[in-house]
Amino acid sequence: MAPAMKGLILSGGRGTRLRPITHTSAKQLVPVANKPVLFYGIEAMAAAGIGEIGIIIAPETGDEIRSAAGDGSAFGVRITYVVQDEPAGLAHAVLTAEPFLGDSSFVMYLGDNLLQGGIAELVAAFEAERPDALILLTPVPDPQNYGVAELEAVAGSERGRVVRLVEKPSAPKTDLALVGVYMFTAGIHDAARAIVPSARGELEITDAIQFLVDGGRRVEPYVVKGWWKDTGRLADMLEANRLVLETLVGRSEGELVDSQVEGSVVIEPGARLERSTVRGPAIIGSGARLIDAYVGPYTAVGEGCRIERAEVEHSILLVGSSVIGLDGRMESSLLGRNVVIRRADAQPRAFRFMVGDNSEIEIL
Ligand code: G1P
């Protein structure tokens, strides 16, 4: 019998597109609807029956990932951590994990990706059909930012077959992007060894899969039906937050004083609302305080945050942040941990900032 399928989650990388948040925290731990992005991947694997998961970590952020996900028992899985010394590409990550993976087939999942509907159906299809690789694809408006697939029709097959994969082509031939979830047999290790670094200096998984295609191996395409998000950039992060919040069922375990909640809103234990309105979908983290505040749709307010005499909408606030006394409404914003935004009483009326490297502030 073939060894059980394993999971490999890539949680290294530098997260340059989410600075400054990623100066102090791993991008995979930025919360979507108050839960780290990484946890959605672990849960998807657990739900697909995968019990052994390797997580690739970077030396810089590895400890934080380890302490967040632990040994996996909270998810009903066993987690092994594998340190990748440098971000030398996804195929390099696979090679780094070879001692963990052995000759098992595995699902590889990019730790900053979110896939609606999980992967159980895909794992079942892979195990039934046993191709050499199964790749997930979805049409996107900006294929030049992804690995792009060219397919060819095959008589009798509704999926067709993969003929070419190109990493971030300047002139994409199709709009079918490679989603950051892949299924492989152990043959991928030799393919990853056979390729050379790309123009960006990385061993690309896209090239390793192309190597399989060129060698006549079976690479099955699978166009995903639901939404998929790579949360590497702010706009994507906010959209992922919106999409996940839309799926939450409202419940209130907090305390409401002269306050209204409309639509689907999750209020976690110990949160307190005073003279405030929350219009869902939204989530208010435990211990958060809303005082004379309005929180609008698609907002995730982290644990212990404070919003007072202010309006916040379509935003993500990480643990311990506060927004106090704003004139206008804050929207489409991502605040890191313990950020303070407040109106000062001092004269003269002026903007005063203390912000970290690579921060962005937009004022109208
Ligand atoms: C990586 C892959 C790319 C894929 C993308 C999905 O890109 O190289 O083929 O389409 O993930 O998120 P990266 O995030 O490393 O730029």
Side-chain angles (χ1 to χ4, degrees), residues 159-216:
R159 290 194 210 147
R161 97 188 159 88
V162 177
V163 283
R164 184 149 309 280
L165 299 169
V166 189
E167 185 62 24
K168 306 202 175 70
S170 45
K173 293 251 174 61
T174 76
D175 65 352
L176 283 179
L178 274 159
V179 165
V181 179
Y182 314 76
M183 275 163 238
F184 297 118
T185 54
I188 194 66
H189 301 296
D190 284 337
R193 262 188 287 275
I195 57 168
V196 295
S198 62
R200 62 170 172 169
E202 297 189 6
L203 282 183
E204 306 288 349
I205 198 66
T206 309
D207 293 342
I209 306 168
Q210 180 65 41
F211 183 88
L212 294 178
V213 173
D214 291 342

Short mmCIF file of all heavy atoms in Angstrom, two decimals, residues 159-216:
data_model
loop_
_atom_site.label_atom_id
_atom_site.label_comp_id
_atom_site.label_asym_id
_atom_site.label_seq_id
_atom_site.Cartn_x
_atom_site.Cartn_y
_atom_site.Cartn_z
N ARG A 159 -11.06 18.09 -18.59
CA ARG A 159 -10.03 18.98 -18.05
C ARG A 159 -8.93 19.33 -19.04
O ARG A 159 -8.27 20.33 -18.89
CB ARG A 159 -9.37 18.31 -16.85
CG ARG A 159 -10.27 18.19 -15.66
CD ARG A 159 -9.42 17.85 -14.47
NE ARG A 159 -10.15 17.05 -13.52
CZ ARG A 159 -9.61 16.11 -12.76
NH1 ARG A 159 -8.32 15.83 -12.87
NH2 ARG A 159 -10.33 15.46 -11.90
N GLY A 160 -8.68 18.49 -20.01
CA GLY A 160 -7.59 18.72 -20.94
C GLY A 160 -6.26 18.37 -20.30
O GLY A 160 -6.21 17.74 -19.23
N ARG A 161 -5.16 18.80 -20.95
CA ARG A 161 -3.86 18.47 -20.35
C ARG A 161 -2.96 19.69 -20.36
O ARG A 161 -3.12 20.61 -21.17
CB ARG A 161 -3.30 17.23 -21.04
CG ARG A 161 -2.35 17.43 -22.10
CD ARG A 161 -2.01 16.13 -22.84
NE ARG A 161 -1.48 16.55 -24.13
CZ ARG A 161 -0.19 16.82 -24.32
NH1 ARG A 161 0.68 16.64 -23.37
NH2 ARG A 161 0.23 17.28 -25.50
N VAL A 162 -1.98 19.67 -19.48
CA VAL A 162 -1.08 20.81 -19.35
C VAL A 162 0.01 20.68 -20.40
O VAL A 162 0.66 19.64 -20.50
CB VAL A 162 -0.41 20.80 -17.95
CG1 VAL A 162 0.57 21.94 -17.83
CG2 VAL A 162 -1.47 20.86 -16.86
N VAL A 163 0.20 21.73 -21.21
CA VAL A 163 1.31 21.67 -22.17
C VAL A 163 2.47 22.57 -21.76
O VAL A 163 3.63 22.27 -22.01
CB VAL A 163 0.90 22.00 -23.62
CG1 VAL A 163 0.21 20.81 -24.23
CG2 VAL A 163 0.07 23.24 -23.71
N ARG A 164 2.16 23.71 -21.13
CA ARG A 164 3.27 24.60 -20.75
C ARG A 164 2.91 25.39 -19.50
O ARG A 164 1.78 25.83 -19.31
CB ARG A 164 3.57 25.56 -21.91
CG ARG A 164 4.77 26.46 -21.67
CD ARG A 164 5.51 26.83 -22.92
NE ARG A 164 5.87 25.67 -23.75
CZ ARG A 164 6.91 24.86 -23.52
NH1 ARG A 164 7.70 25.08 -22.50
NH2 ARG A 164 7.14 23.83 -24.32
N LEU A 165 3.92 25.58 -18.66
CA LEU A 165 3.78 26.41 -17.46
C LEU A 165 4.90 27.44 -17.47
O LEU A 165 6.06 27.07 -17.66
CB LEU A 165 3.91 25.55 -16.20
CG LEU A 165 2.89 24.43 -16.02
CD1 LEU A 165 3.31 23.50 -14.89
CD2 LEU A 165 1.53 25.04 -15.72
N VAL A 166 4.55 28.69 -17.28
CA VAL A 166 5.57 29.74 -17.30
C VAL A 166 5.41 30.59 -16.05
O VAL A 166 4.30 31.02 -15.72
CB VAL A 166 5.45 30.64 -18.55
CG1 VAL A 166 6.66 31.57 -18.66
CG2 VAL A 166 5.32 29.81 -19.81
N GLU A 167 6.51 30.84 -15.34
CA GLU A 167 6.47 31.65 -14.12
C GLU A 167 6.47 33.14 -14.47
O GLU A 167 7.37 33.62 -15.13
CB GLU A 167 7.65 31.30 -13.22
CG GLU A 167 7.66 31.99 -11.87
CD GLU A 167 6.45 31.65 -10.98
OE1 GLU A 167 5.85 30.59 -11.16
OE2 GLU A 167 6.12 32.49 -10.13
N LYS A 168 5.46 33.85 -14.04
CA LYS A 168 5.31 35.29 -14.23
C LYS A 168 5.73 35.78 -15.62
O LYS A 168 6.65 36.58 -15.77
CB LYS A 168 6.09 36.04 -13.14
CG LYS A 168 5.68 35.57 -11.74
CD LYS A 168 5.98 36.55 -10.65
CE LYS A 168 5.45 36.08 -9.32
NZ LYS A 168 6.13 34.94 -8.72
N PRO A 169 5.02 35.28 -16.67
CA PRO A 169 5.38 35.69 -18.04
C PRO A 169 5.02 37.15 -18.28
O PRO A 169 3.99 37.62 -17.79
CB PRO A 169 4.53 34.77 -18.91
CG PRO A 169 3.37 34.39 -18.06
CD PRO A 169 3.83 34.41 -16.63
N SER A 170 5.87 37.87 -19.07
CA SER A 170 5.52 39.27 -19.34
C SER A 170 4.37 39.34 -20.35
O SER A 170 3.60 40.29 -20.34
CB SER A 170 6.74 40.05 -19.84
OG SER A 170 7.42 39.28 -20.79
N ALA A 171 4.24 38.34 -21.21
CA ALA A 171 3.12 38.30 -22.15
C ALA A 171 2.38 36.96 -21.99
O ALA A 171 2.59 36.04 -22.77
CB ALA A 171 3.63 38.46 -23.58
N PRO A 172 1.51 36.86 -20.94
CA PRO A 172 0.85 35.58 -20.66
C PRO A 172 -0.01 35.11 -21.83
O PRO A 172 -0.72 35.92 -22.44
CB PRO A 172 -0.03 35.89 -19.45
CG PRO A 172 0.42 37.22 -18.94
CD PRO A 172 1.10 37.94 -20.05
N LYS A 173 0.04 33.82 -22.12
CA LYS A 173 -0.76 33.27 -23.22
C LYS A 173 -2.18 32.97 -22.77
O LYS A 173 -3.09 32.84 -23.59
CB LYS A 173 -0.10 31.97 -23.73
CG LYS A 173 1.25 32.20 -24.40
CD LYS A 173 1.12 31.96 -25.91
CE LYS A 173 2.38 32.29 -26.70
NZ LYS A 173 3.55 31.50 -26.31
N THR A 174 -2.39 32.78 -21.45
CA THR A 174 -3.73 32.53 -20.93
C THR A 174 -3.88 33.32 -19.63
O THR A 174 -2.92 33.94 -19.16
CB THR A 174 -3.98 31.03 -20.60
OG1 THR A 174 -3.30 30.73 -19.37
CG2 THR A 174 -3.46 30.11 -21.69
N ASP A 175 -5.10 33.28 -19.08
CA ASP A 175 -5.29 33.96 -17.79
C ASP A 175 -5.38 32.95 -16.65
O ASP A 175 -5.86 33.26 -15.57
CB ASP A 175 -6.53 34.87 -17.83
CG ASP A 175 -7.82 34.09 -18.00
OD1 ASP A 175 -7.76 32.85 -18.26
OD2 ASP A 175 -8.90 34.70 -17.89
N LEU A 176 -4.91 31.72 -16.91
CA LEU A 176 -5.01 30.66 -15.90
C LEU A 176 -3.79 30.65 -14.98
O LEU A 176 -2.71 30.19 -15.37
CB LEU A 176 -5.13 29.30 -16.58
CG LEU A 176 -6.49 28.93 -17.16
CD1 LEU A 176 -6.42 27.56 -17.82
CD2 LEU A 176 -7.58 28.98 -16.09
N ALA A 177 -3.98 31.17 -13.77
CA ALA A 177 -2.87 31.24 -12.82
C ALA A 177 -2.76 29.96 -12.02
O ALA A 177 -3.77 29.31 -11.73
CB ALA A 177 -3.08 32.40 -11.86
N LEU A 178 -1.53 29.62 -11.66
CA LEU A 178 -1.29 28.51 -10.74
C LEU A 178 -1.66 28.98 -9.34
O LEU A 178 -1.11 29.95 -8.82
CB LEU A 178 0.19 28.14 -10.75
CG LEU A 178 0.64 27.16 -11.82
CD1 LEU A 178 2.13 27.29 -12.05
CD2 LEU A 178 0.31 25.74 -11.39
N VAL A 179 -2.60 28.28 -8.76
CA VAL A 179 -3.01 28.54 -7.38
C VAL A 179 -1.94 27.91 -6.48
O VAL A 179 -1.33 26.92 -6.85
CB VAL A 179 -4.40 27.88 -7.17
CG1 VAL A 179 -4.75 27.77 -5.71
CG2 VAL A 179 -5.45 28.64 -7.95
N GLY A 180 -1.73 28.49 -5.32
CA GLY A 180 -0.64 28.00 -4.46
C GLY A 180 -0.92 26.70 -3.73
O GLY A 180 -0.56 26.54 -2.56
N VAL A 181 -1.58 25.76 -4.38
CA VAL A 181 -1.83 24.44 -3.80
C VAL A 181 -1.53 23.40 -4.88
O VAL A 181 -2.02 23.52 -6.00
CB VAL A 181 -3.31 24.29 -3.34
CG1 VAL A 181 -3.56 22.91 -2.77
CG2 VAL A 181 -3.66 25.36 -2.31
N TYR A 182 -0.67 22.44 -4.57
CA TYR A 182 -0.20 21.48 -5.57
C TYR A 182 -0.21 20.09 -4.95
O TYR A 182 -0.01 19.95 -3.75
CB TYR A 182 1.25 21.77 -5.94
CG TYR A 182 1.61 23.21 -6.23
CD1 TYR A 182 1.77 24.15 -5.19
CD2 TYR A 182 1.82 23.64 -7.54
CE1 TYR A 182 2.12 25.46 -5.47
CE2 TYR A 182 2.19 24.96 -7.81
CZ TYR A 182 2.33 25.86 -6.77
OH TYR A 182 2.68 27.16 -7.04
N MET A 183 -0.37 19.07 -5.80
CA MET A 183 -0.24 17.69 -5.30
C MET A 183 0.81 16.96 -6.11
O MET A 183 0.80 17.03 -7.34
CB MET A 183 -1.58 16.99 -5.39
CG MET A 183 -2.40 17.30 -4.16
SD MET A 183 -4.10 16.93 -4.40
CE MET A 183 -4.73 18.56 -4.06
N PHE A 184 1.70 16.29 -5.40
CA PHE A 184 2.83 15.64 -6.07
C PHE A 184 3.04 14.23 -5.59
O PHE A 184 2.76 13.90 -4.43
CB PHE A 184 4.13 16.40 -5.76
CG PHE A 184 4.17 17.81 -6.27
CD1 PHE A 184 4.29 18.88 -5.38
CD2 PHE A 184 4.13 18.07 -7.63
CE1 PHE A 184 4.35 20.19 -5.84
CE2 PHE A 184 4.19 19.38 -8.10
CZ PHE A 184 4.30 20.44 -7.20
N THR A 185 3.63 13.41 -6.48
CA THR A 185 4.24 12.15 -6.03
C THR A 185 5.72 12.47 -5.78
O THR A 185 6.19 13.57 -6.10
CB THR A 185 4.12 11.05 -7.10
OG1 THR A 185 4.68 11.56 -8.32
CG2 THR A 185 2.69 10.65 -7.32
N ALA A 186 6.44 11.49 -5.27
CA ALA A 186 7.84 11.73 -4.89
C ALA A 186 8.73 12.06 -6.10
O ALA A 186 9.85 12.54 -5.93
CB ALA A 186 8.39 10.53 -4.14
N GLY A 187 8.22 11.84 -7.31
CA GLY A 187 8.98 12.17 -8.53
C GLY A 187 9.34 13.64 -8.62
O GLY A 187 10.25 14.04 -9.36
N ILE A 188 8.65 14.50 -7.86
CA ILE A 188 8.93 15.94 -7.92
C ILE A 188 10.35 16.25 -7.41
O ILE A 188 10.96 17.24 -7.80
CB ILE A 188 7.86 16.74 -7.15
CG1 ILE A 188 7.93 18.24 -7.47
CG2 ILE A 188 7.97 16.54 -5.64
CD1 ILE A 188 7.58 18.62 -8.88
N HIS A 189 10.89 15.39 -6.53
CA HIS A 189 12.23 15.68 -5.98
C HIS A 189 13.29 15.66 -7.08
O HIS A 189 14.13 16.55 -7.15
CB HIS A 189 12.58 14.68 -4.87
CG HIS A 189 11.62 14.70 -3.73
ND1 HIS A 189 11.44 15.80 -2.93
CD2 HIS A 189 10.75 13.77 -3.27
CE1 HIS A 189 10.52 15.53 -2.02
NE2 HIS A 189 10.08 14.31 -2.21
N ASP A 190 13.23 14.64 -7.95
CA ASP A 190 14.20 14.59 -9.04
C ASP A 190 14.01 15.77 -9.99
O ASP A 190 14.97 16.33 -10.49
CB ASP A 190 14.07 13.26 -9.82
CG ASP A 190 14.69 12.11 -9.02
OD1 ASP A 190 15.56 12.38 -8.16
OD2 ASP A 190 14.29 10.95 -9.25
N ALA A 191 12.74 16.13 -10.22
CA ALA A 191 12.47 17.28 -11.09
C ALA A 191 13.07 18.55 -10.49
O ALA A 191 13.68 19.36 -11.18
CB ALA A 191 10.96 17.43 -11.29
N ALA A 192 12.91 18.72 -9.17
CA ALA A 192 13.44 19.93 -8.50
C ALA A 192 14.97 19.95 -8.55
O ALA A 192 15.58 21.01 -8.60
CB ALA A 192 12.96 19.97 -7.05
N ARG A 193 15.56 18.77 -8.57
CA ARG A 193 17.04 18.69 -8.66
C ARG A 193 17.53 18.99 -10.08
O ARG A 193 18.67 19.41 -10.26
CB ARG A 193 17.51 17.30 -8.25
CG ARG A 193 17.98 17.23 -6.81
CD ARG A 193 18.62 15.88 -6.50
NE ARG A 193 17.61 14.84 -6.43
CZ ARG A 193 16.91 14.57 -5.32
NH1 ARG A 193 17.15 15.22 -4.21
NH2 ARG A 193 15.99 13.63 -5.31
N ALA A 194 16.64 18.76 -11.06
CA ALA A 194 17.07 18.88 -12.46
C ALA A 194 17.05 20.31 -12.99
O ALA A 194 17.71 20.62 -13.97
CB ALA A 194 16.19 18.00 -13.34
N ILE A 195 16.31 21.19 -12.33
CA ILE A 195 16.13 22.54 -12.88
C ILE A 195 17.21 23.51 -12.36
O ILE A 195 17.91 23.19 -11.41
CB ILE A 195 14.73 23.10 -12.56
CG1 ILE A 195 14.50 23.11 -11.04
CG2 ILE A 195 13.66 22.28 -13.27
CD1 ILE A 195 13.29 23.89 -10.60
N VAL A 196 17.29 24.67 -13.03
CA VAL A 196 18.26 25.69 -12.60
C VAL A 196 17.48 26.92 -12.12
O VAL A 196 16.31 27.09 -12.47
CB VAL A 196 19.21 26.10 -13.75
CG1 VAL A 196 20.09 24.91 -14.15
CG2 VAL A 196 18.43 26.61 -14.95
N PRO A 197 18.13 27.79 -11.33
CA PRO A 197 17.41 28.96 -10.83
C PRO A 197 16.90 29.87 -11.95
O PRO A 197 17.51 29.98 -13.00
CB PRO A 197 18.48 29.68 -9.98
CG PRO A 197 19.46 28.63 -9.60
CD PRO A 197 19.49 27.67 -10.76
N SER A 198 15.74 30.52 -11.67
CA SER A 198 15.11 31.41 -12.64
C SER A 198 15.80 32.77 -12.63
O SER A 198 16.73 32.99 -11.87
CB SER A 198 13.65 31.60 -12.23
OG SER A 198 13.61 32.22 -10.95
N ALA A 199 15.27 33.69 -13.43
CA ALA A 199 15.82 35.04 -13.50
C ALA A 199 15.79 35.72 -12.12
O ALA A 199 16.69 36.50 -11.79
CB ALA A 199 15.04 35.87 -14.52
N ARG A 200 14.78 35.38 -11.26
CA ARG A 200 14.77 36.00 -9.93
C ARG A 200 15.63 35.21 -8.94
O ARG A 200 15.56 35.42 -7.72
CB ARG A 200 13.34 36.21 -9.41
CG ARG A 200 12.50 34.97 -9.23
CD ARG A 200 11.18 35.28 -8.49
NE ARG A 200 10.29 34.11 -8.47
CZ ARG A 200 9.19 34.01 -7.75
NH1 ARG A 200 8.83 34.99 -6.95
NH2 ARG A 200 8.43 32.94 -7.80
N GLY A 201 16.40 34.25 -9.46
CA GLY A 201 17.36 33.53 -8.62
C GLY A 201 16.74 32.45 -7.76
O GLY A 201 17.34 32.02 -6.78
N GLU A 202 15.53 31.99 -8.12
CA GLU A 202 14.87 30.97 -7.31
C GLU A 202 14.67 29.68 -8.09
O GLU A 202 14.52 29.69 -9.31
CB GLU A 202 13.49 31.48 -6.84
CG GLU A 202 13.59 32.69 -5.94
CD GLU A 202 12.26 33.06 -5.29
OE1 GLU A 202 11.27 32.32 -5.44
OE2 GLU A 202 12.22 34.11 -4.62
N LEU A 203 14.67 28.57 -7.38
CA LEU A 203 14.27 27.29 -8.00
C LEU A 203 12.74 27.30 -7.99
O LEU A 203 12.12 27.19 -6.93
CB LEU A 203 14.80 26.10 -7.20
CG LEU A 203 16.29 25.74 -7.39
CD1 LEU A 203 16.61 24.48 -6.58
CD2 LEU A 203 16.65 25.52 -8.86
N GLU A 204 12.16 27.46 -9.18
CA GLU A 204 10.70 27.64 -9.28
C GLU A 204 10.00 26.28 -9.34
O GLU A 204 10.38 25.43 -10.14
CB GLU A 204 10.35 28.41 -10.55
CG GLU A 204 11.06 29.75 -10.72
CD GLU A 204 10.55 30.84 -9.77
OE1 GLU A 204 9.52 30.61 -9.12
OE2 GLU A 204 11.20 31.88 -9.69
N ILE A 205 8.94 26.13 -8.57
CA ILE A 205 8.17 24.89 -8.64
C ILE A 205 7.53 24.78 -10.03
O ILE A 205 7.36 23.69 -10.57
CB ILE A 205 7.11 24.81 -7.50
CG1 ILE A 205 6.65 23.37 -7.32
CG2 ILE A 205 5.93 25.72 -7.73
CD1 ILE A 205 7.69 22.42 -6.82
N THR A 206 7.21 25.94 -10.60
CA THR A 206 6.62 25.97 -11.95
C THR A 206 7.56 25.27 -12.95
O THR A 206 7.11 24.50 -13.79
CB THR A 206 6.40 27.45 -12.37
OG1 THR A 206 5.68 28.09 -11.32
CG2 THR A 206 5.62 27.57 -13.65
N ASP A 207 8.86 25.54 -12.84
CA ASP A 207 9.83 24.91 -13.75
C ASP A 207 9.95 23.41 -13.47
O ASP A 207 10.12 22.61 -14.39
CB ASP A 207 11.21 25.57 -13.61
CG ASP A 207 11.21 27.02 -14.09
OD1 ASP A 207 10.27 27.40 -14.83
OD2 ASP A 207 12.14 27.77 -13.73
N ALA A 208 9.88 23.05 -12.19
CA ALA A 208 9.96 21.63 -11.85
C ALA A 208 8.76 20.87 -12.43
O ALA A 208 8.90 19.75 -12.93
CB ALA A 208 10.04 21.45 -10.34
N ILE A 209 7.59 21.48 -12.40
CA ILE A 209 6.40 20.82 -12.97
C ILE A 209 6.53 20.74 -14.49
O ILE A 209 6.18 19.74 -15.11
CB ILE A 209 5.09 21.53 -12.54
CG1 ILE A 209 5.02 21.66 -11.01
CG2 ILE A 209 3.88 20.74 -13.04
CD1 ILE A 209 3.92 22.60 -10.53
N GLN A 210 7.06 21.81 -15.09
CA GLN A 210 7.29 21.80 -16.54
C GLN A 210 8.25 20.65 -16.90
O GLN A 210 8.08 19.98 -17.93
CB GLN A 210 7.88 23.15 -17.00
CG GLN A 210 8.16 23.23 -18.50
CD GLN A 210 6.89 23.16 -19.33
OE1 GLN A 210 5.87 23.75 -19.00
NE2 GLN A 210 6.94 22.39 -20.43
N PHE A 211 9.22 20.42 -16.04
CA PHE A 211 10.16 19.31 -16.26
C PHE A 211 9.42 17.98 -16.30
O PHE A 211 9.71 17.12 -17.12
CB PHE A 211 11.23 19.33 -15.15
CG PHE A 211 12.29 18.27 -15.31
CD1 PHE A 211 13.43 18.50 -16.07
CD2 PHE A 211 12.14 17.03 -14.70
CE1 PHE A 211 14.40 17.51 -16.22
CE2 PHE A 211 13.10 16.04 -14.84
CZ PHE A 211 14.24 16.28 -15.61
N LEU A 212 8.43 17.83 -15.41
CA LEU A 212 7.62 16.61 -15.43
C LEU A 212 6.85 16.49 -16.75
O LEU A 212 6.81 15.43 -17.37
CB LEU A 212 6.61 16.60 -14.26
CG LEU A 212 7.16 16.52 -12.84
CD1 LEU A 212 6.00 16.59 -11.83
CD2 LEU A 212 7.96 15.24 -12.62
N VAL A 213 6.26 17.63 -17.17
CA VAL A 213 5.48 17.63 -18.43
C VAL A 213 6.40 17.24 -19.59
O VAL A 213 6.06 16.36 -20.40
CB VAL A 213 4.87 19.04 -18.69
CG1 VAL A 213 4.21 19.10 -20.07
CG2 VAL A 213 3.85 19.40 -17.60
N ASP A 214 7.58 17.84 -19.66
CA ASP A 214 8.53 17.56 -20.74
C ASP A 214 8.97 16.09 -20.75
O ASP A 214 9.26 15.54 -21.80
CB ASP A 214 9.78 18.45 -20.62
CG ASP A 214 9.46 19.91 -20.90
OD1 ASP A 214 8.40 20.18 -21.50
OD2 ASP A 214 10.27 20.79 -20.51
N GLY A 215 9.02 15.49 -19.56
CA GLY A 215 9.42 14.09 -19.47
C GLY A 215 8.27 13.13 -19.71
O GLY A 215 8.40 11.93 -19.46
N GLY A 216 7.12 13.67 -20.15
CA GLY A 216 5.98 12.82 -20.47
C GLY A 216 5.21 12.32 -19.26
O GLY A 216 4.41 11.39 -19.36
#
